[in-house]
């Protein structure tokens, strides 16, 4: 039975219906069958077998033997298969001609459509948190030459940004640029300090800015993702924009590097914080001059 099922499936590949295939396989088992006999042999409904036999006869795969009770026999398998293959070749030829004509007819419409583009088709708006997270991970994973980011609360923990750690390690190993500016809030968050040290360990260059207006990532001088707090929606809601525009990306690169050059490294920022804490504690006992990066460097030549 399994062999018949396989052979029926092969005949279907050559263009027969399932009933036609089963009836043909039944007909080859002896010289002549009546319609009733072949229906039983092929397990095809009696009310359908006449249509099936007529179809096989019309396709020259079966022969009708007229008489008081009509009989049917199959043509030889090699002839049947050749005829099915010829039918497939003719059908394929028609499809090739049709596809060529259809392609020629559709091409002018296609060409015309290329001249009409949405002026904002390079901007994608994301509001769902899961979509934003997925796109953030994908953009980091696709970065090849440069990855720049502004990072500020609410923070993304390492377990939520595995893609960022992997991208950082990959780009560092390839000698590419991976820099991150964190807002000063990070210095008062022990958990986040541990997070950014993990990024530093895999190659991220880190500096601390006094403040940052929003979360931002710029990759390869061409793609920007900015995550903006929504001033209208509920607390914590954000709208993210993914913008693929080299000119905008270059402008934001310039802004990034301008802040980068003015910002201390993580270790310098920690020393400044500690020095400021000491100065505040001593404020009531004596005046203290403001502490600068240069003062810290002078105290600690290393």
């Amino acid at each position: 039975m399994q062999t018949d099922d396989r052979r029926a499936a092969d005949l279907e590949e050559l263009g027969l219906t399932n009933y036609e295939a089963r009836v043909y396989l039944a007909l080859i088992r002896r010289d002549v069958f009546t319609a009733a006999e072949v229906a039983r042999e092929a397990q095809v409904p009696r009310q359908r077998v006449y249509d099936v036999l007529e179809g096989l006869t019309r396709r020259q795969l079966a022969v009708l033997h007229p008489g008081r009770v009509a009989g049917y026999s199959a043509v030889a398998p090699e002839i049947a298969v050749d005829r099915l293959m010829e039918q497939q070749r003719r059908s394929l030829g028609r499809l090739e001609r049709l596809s060529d004509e259809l392609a020629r007819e559709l091409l002018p419409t296609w060409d015309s459509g290329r001249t009409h583009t949405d002026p904002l088709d390079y901007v994608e708006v994301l509001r769902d948190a899961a979509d934003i997270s997925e796109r953030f991970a994908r953009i980091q994973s696709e970065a090849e030459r440069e990855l720049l980011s502004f990072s500020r609360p609410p923070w993304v923990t390492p377990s939520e940004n595995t893609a960022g750690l992997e991208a950082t390690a990959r780009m560092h190993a390839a000698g590419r640029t991976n820099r991150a500016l964190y807002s000063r809030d990070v210095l008062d968050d022990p958990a986040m300090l541990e997070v950014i040290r993990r990024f530093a360990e895999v190659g991220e260059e880190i500096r601390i800015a006094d403040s940052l207006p929003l979360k931002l990532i710029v990759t390869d001088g061409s793609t920007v993702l900015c995550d903006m707090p929504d001033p209208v929606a509920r607390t914590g809601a954000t709208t993210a924009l993914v913008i693929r525009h080299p000119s905008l990306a270059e402008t934001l690169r310039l802004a990034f590097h301008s802040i980068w050059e003015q910002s201390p490294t993580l270790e310098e920022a920690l020393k400044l914080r500690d020095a400021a804490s000491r100065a505040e504690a001593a404020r009531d006992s004596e005046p203290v001059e403001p502490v600068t990066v240069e003062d810290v460097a002078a105290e600690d030549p290393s």
Side-chain angles (χ1 to χ4, degrees):
M1 187 64 182
Q2 290 181 348
T3 301
D4 276 354
D5 288 342
R6 179 182 58 78
R7 289 169 176 169
D10 290 343
L11 288 170
E12 289 179 55
E13 288 286 334
L14 290 173
L16 296 185
T17 67
N18 180 260
Y19 280 173
E20 287 174 338
R22 285 157 58 180
V23 167
Y24 178 81
L25 290 173
L27 287 174
I28 66 174
R29 292 175 188 150
R30 71 179 193 217
D31 286 346
V32 180
F33 278 94
T34 65
E37 289 171 338
V38 79
R40 287 193 300 271
E41 184 74 14
Q43 298 182 2
V44 171
R46 179 76 175 270
Q47 63 272 25
R48 292 296 312 281
V49 75
Y50 294 100
D51 290 339
V52 173
L53 287 166
E54 182 182 350
L56 290 174
T57 302
R58 187 170 58 252
R59 299 176 71 171
Q60 296 182 311
L61 304 178
V63 178
L64 169 64
H65 302 283
R68 187 173 61 85
V69 177
Y72 296 87
S73 59
V75 301
E78 65 272 20
I79 296 174
V81 170
D82 283 346
R83 287 174 178 169
L84 287 172
M85 284 298 299
E86 180 58 30
Q87 291 168 10
Q88 291 292 328
R89 282 190 285 267
R90 288 199 299 270
S91 177
L92 180 59
R94 287 194 298 272
L95 288 174
E96 288 177 341
R97 290 191 296 274
L98 174 62
S99 63
D100 289 343
E101 293 172 2
L102 185 59
R104 285 195 297 271
E105 291 176 4
L106 295 179
L107 186 58
T109 304
W110 162 266
D111 289 339
S112 175
R114 298 315 93 199
T115 63
H116 301 287
T117 59
D118 188 333
L120 293 180
D121 60 1
Y122 50 82
V123 178
E124 183 178 1
V125 180
L126 302 172
R127 291 192 173 89
D128 181 77
D131 290 342
I132 294 172
S133 178
E134 185 276 333
R135 188 56 52 84
F136 178 54
R138 191 198 313 172
I139 287 175
Q140 292 176 102
S141 297
E142 292 174 350
E144 296 180 355
R145 302 184 307 278
E146 183 180 66
L147 182 59
L148 309 175
S149 62
F150 285 174
S151 187
R152 51 160 291 169
W155 309 109
V156 176
T157 65
S159 61
E160 295 170 333
N161 194 18
T162 302
L165 285 168
E166 292 175 349
T168 299
R170 170 177 54 80
M171 295 184 70
H172 178 67
R176 306 306 186 187
T177 300
N178 192 318
R179 290 179 170 178
L181 279 164
Y182 290 83
S183 65
R184 189 167 295 278
D185 311 73
V186 76
L187 301 178
D188 300 320
D189 189 327
M192 268 307 298
L193 282 175
E194 179 62 26
V195 169
I196 65 175
R197 289 191 187 281
R198 289 183 61 184
F199 274 85
E201 288 172 1
V202 295
E204 185 172 71
E205 298 178 64
I206 295 170
R207 292 194 180 184
I208 307 300
D210 285 336
S211 64
L212 295 171
L214 45 70
K215 289 184 178 181
L216 175 72
I217 185 168
V218 182
T219 63
D220 297 337
S222 62
T223 301
V224 176
L225 183 149
C226 49
D227 190 15
M228 302 178 294
D230 195 321
V232 177
R234 65 189 182 280
T235 302
T238 62
T239 296
L241 298 180
V242 180
I243 308 170
R244 301 185 185 278
H245 197 293
S247 296
L248 175 64
E250 180 60 25
T251 301
L252 293 174
R253 285 183 73 251
L254 294 173
F256 177 92
H257 287 297
S258 175
I259 300 174
W260 177 268
E261 294 300 330
Q262 302 172 31
S263 300
T265 66
L266 174 61
E267 297 308 322
E268 289 173 340
L270 288 170
K271 291 175 182 177
L272 283 168
R273 181 200 63 180
D274 294 342
S277 297
R278 291 194 301 271
E280 184 176 354
R283 183 179 54 192
D284 294 337
S285 59
E286 60 179 346
V288 178
E289 293 294 327
V291 181
T292 67
V293 174
E294 289 75 12
D295 295 333
V296 173
E299 292 177 8
D300 184 2
S302 63

